[in-house]
Amino acid sequence: MPKTHFTETNLTAIPHGATTWYSHDGDKYAGLRLCVTKTAKTWFASKWDIEAQKTRAVKLGRYPAFKLDAAWEKAQAEIGKIDRGELNRPAPEPVAALPTFAHQLDAYLAYHAVDRKNGRPPLKAQTAKDYRASVDKHFATWKDKPLNEIDGRAVSKAMDNLQAEHPYAAQRLHVIVRAVFKFDEFPGVTPPRGLRGQTKMEAREFDRTIKWEDRLKEIDGIKNEFKRLCWLLRWHTGSRENVLREMTWDRVDLEKGTITYERIKRDEKGRTIALSDHSWGLMRQLHDLRQCNFVFPSLRRMRKDGRLVQGHLDALDRLPLTNPGDLRHLWHDTGMVVGTSPYMMRWLNGQNLKTGEVDMLGHYGQIDDIGAQRIAANKISAYIISRCTPAPSNVVAFQDAKAI
């Protein structure tokens, strides 16, 4: 925007032409603007509207019929109105009584609990249960309030506090609260401000200085054999902890040496993977110890429906390893070292396949070649075992180890 001294002489001398906005070169006429076009010179008052969060331009009149002094006097009056929020604006439409957050949560979960026309699979029952638990624990203050009466600032503050103390809980709450608010588009209702962006997960440093043999010693020192075998299989399959803990024997084929995972996230069907020979042997050990339908049963029995039942290893049984989640990352590192293809790795350790990988396999396809899977799994297990074996201390020992 070009500047010029606003004087009657200079204003008269400004030529008509392409649309150009002029402001005063100085502080005297702050907010006064002159718009010059091919046919007219028009005064405007321009000011940032804090309430509307945008710049407002109010038309004052044309020059020279509207002289500089008259334009400035009117500009000051209009700028004052902008500062006080007194400009005439359409009155917002009254918002009708809206459903409560709890009502919308029920509607959202019910909608996603069945097959949908877009082909997406239904929401898993456990996921719905986790969402409800998250709302009951961290969103109870607002759960029974209508959507338009929820205090966005209070929610944002609570989310910030939760993020600082429990980032995973904040992430889950963020997902469900945002989804519920956007499930139905109500006029004048938007998600609380603090939920418009993803919550940030703090990156955890991956300690690569711990020797693999020391990690194995930590696992071998576990007295509970189910826990020990569970964590060994997690290392040799790259599986998520909950996927293994909740596994039942009807998902295991000991004759073929395969496991069929239940639906993982958006996968429509189960996923059958081949076990390495080492993991296959661990599964046979578990079968010899079989106590119930769970592959990894808890030693406790819980009362359910008037009877005692044996569940799977739950949160109370989790192994207090040093950064136990690292085992999955070590499996991934091993896969890359031995040259396993990315889509094979993602298939074996239960990750969701990327779009291109699904196209490669076919819609809802799977890697049918169990032999190829087992070759890849065996290479990974062999490398893990080699890294967990202490290096020979002398040449003779190295030759003996090589002979073995």
Side-chain angles (χ1 to χ4, degrees), residues 123-197:
L123 190 71
K124 296 180 71 172
Q126 183 60 46
T127 302
K129 183 179 179 180
D130 291 342
Y131 283 157
R132 290 188 183 278
S134 178
V135 169
D136 291 340
K137 186 173 183 180
H138 303 294
F139 206 74
T141 302
W142 304 280
K143 186 177 72 169
D144 295 321
K145 290 187 176 183
L147 295 180
N148 57 319
E149 295 181 14
I150 293 178
D151 187 342
R153 291 186 178 181
V155 171
S156 298
K157 185 176 180 180
M159 288 291 293
D160 288 341
N161 294 336
L162 184 62
Q163 168 69 28
E165 298 178 6
H166 304 288
Y168 286 93
Q171 172 71 8
R172 175 175 292 171
L173 183 64
H174 163 268
V175 170
I176 187 60
V177 170
R178 181 172 174 79
V180 168
F181 265 90
K182 293 182 71 64
F183 181 55
D184 285 319
E185 298 293 339
F186 293 108
V189 176
T190 57
R193 193 168 195 175
L195 300 174
R196 289 178 182 170

Side-chain angles (χ1 to χ4, degrees), residues 98-114:
L98 298 185
T100 64
F101 182 89
H103 180 276
Q104 281 298 94
L105 174 64
D106 291 339
Y108 173 84
L109 295 178
Y111 174 78
H112 289 276
V114 297

Side-chain angles (χ1 to χ4, degrees), residues 4-14 24 29 43 63 68:
T4 184
H5 281 285
F6 281 169
T7 64
E8 293 297 337
T9 301
N10 290 343
L11 293 172
T12 303
I14 296 176
H24 179 67
Y29 299 109
W43 292 111
Y63 181 85
L68 174 60

Side-chain angles (χ1 to χ4, degrees), residues 167-391:
Y168 286 93
Q171 172 71 8
R172 175 175 292 171
L173 183 64
H174 163 268
V175 170
I176 187 60
V177 170
R178 181 172 174 79
V180 168
F181 265 90
K182 293 182 71 64
F183 181 55
D184 285 319
E185 298 293 339
F186 293 108
V189 176
T190 57
R193 193 168 195 175
L195 300 174
R196 289 178 182 170
Q198 284 284 352
T199 55
K200 295 182 180 179
M201 307 293 287
E202 292 185 4
R204 179 178 61 81
E205 292 294 330
F206 183 48
D207 190 355
R208 298 183 183 276
T209 63
I210 301 176
K211 294 182 179 180
W212 290 26
E213 59 189 271
D214 291 339
R215 293 179 183 272
L216 181 60
K217 288 178 182 178
E218 194 174 6
I219 296 176
D220 286 340
I222 302 168
K223 294 182 180 180
N224 184 319
E225 195 160 10
F226 291 111
K227 290 184 182 181
R228 183 176 66 83
L229 292 173
C230 180
W231 287 92
L232 283 175
L233 274 169
R234 187 179 186 191
W235 196 349
H236 281 268
T237 61
S239 299
R240 294 177 176 84
E241 177 191 352
N242 65 307
V243 172
L244 284 179
R245 287 192 292 106
E246 299 170 6
M247 185 179 296
T248 52
W249 279 111
D250 55 296
R251 294 279 173 177
V252 180
D253 189 331
L254 281 181
E255 292 185 3
K256 296 181 179 179
T258 61
I259 292 175
T260 299
Y261 291 124
E262 294 187 44
R263 178 171 69 85
I264 301 173
K265 293 187 178 180
R266 293 186 178 182
D267 286 350
E268 179 66 21
K269 301 178 181 178
R271 181 181 302 184
T272 300
I273 69 162
L275 295 167
S276 67
D277 292 338
H278 181 78
S279 299
W280 199 348
L282 297 178
M283 273 295 179
R284 291 193 185 96
Q285 292 182 47
L286 283 164
H287 194 263
D288 292 339
L289 299 169
R290 179 170 178 171
Q291 297 181 358
C292 62
N293 194 37
F294 287 112
V295 177
F296 302 100
S298 171
L299 297 182
R300 300 186 308 280
R301 293 182 182 272
M302 299 168 290
R303 187 168 296 281
K304 186 176 182 181
D305 299 331
R307 58 192 178 92
L308 290 176
V309 297
Q310 190 169 13
H312 59 71
L313 291 175
D314 59 21
L316 298 178
D317 298 303
R318 290 179 183 174
L319 180 63
L321 276 178
T322 304
N323 294 333
D326 288 355
L327 297 181
R328 184 168 163 86
H329 295 288
L330 294 180
W331 183 94
H332 184 268
D333 285 357
T334 300
M336 291 191 294
V337 168
V338 300
T340 309
S341 61
Y343 78 88
M344 178 68 81
M345 288 174 61
R346 292 174 68 84
W347 183 271
L348 288 175
N349 76 350
Q351 294 187 41
N352 283 341
L353 297 179
K354 295 179 181 178
T355 302
E357 294 164 346
V358 171
D359 291 341
M360 182 186 303
L361 297 172
H363 192 52
Y364 296 134
Q366 90 172 38
I367 303 175
D368 294 321
D369 191 346
I370 297 297
Q373 291 188 48
R374 180 156 290 116
I375 290 173
N378 278 337
K379 288 182 179 179
I380 293 175
S381 280
Y383 184 82
I384 292 173
I385 294 171
S386 69
R387 283 289 300 270
C388 292
T389 304

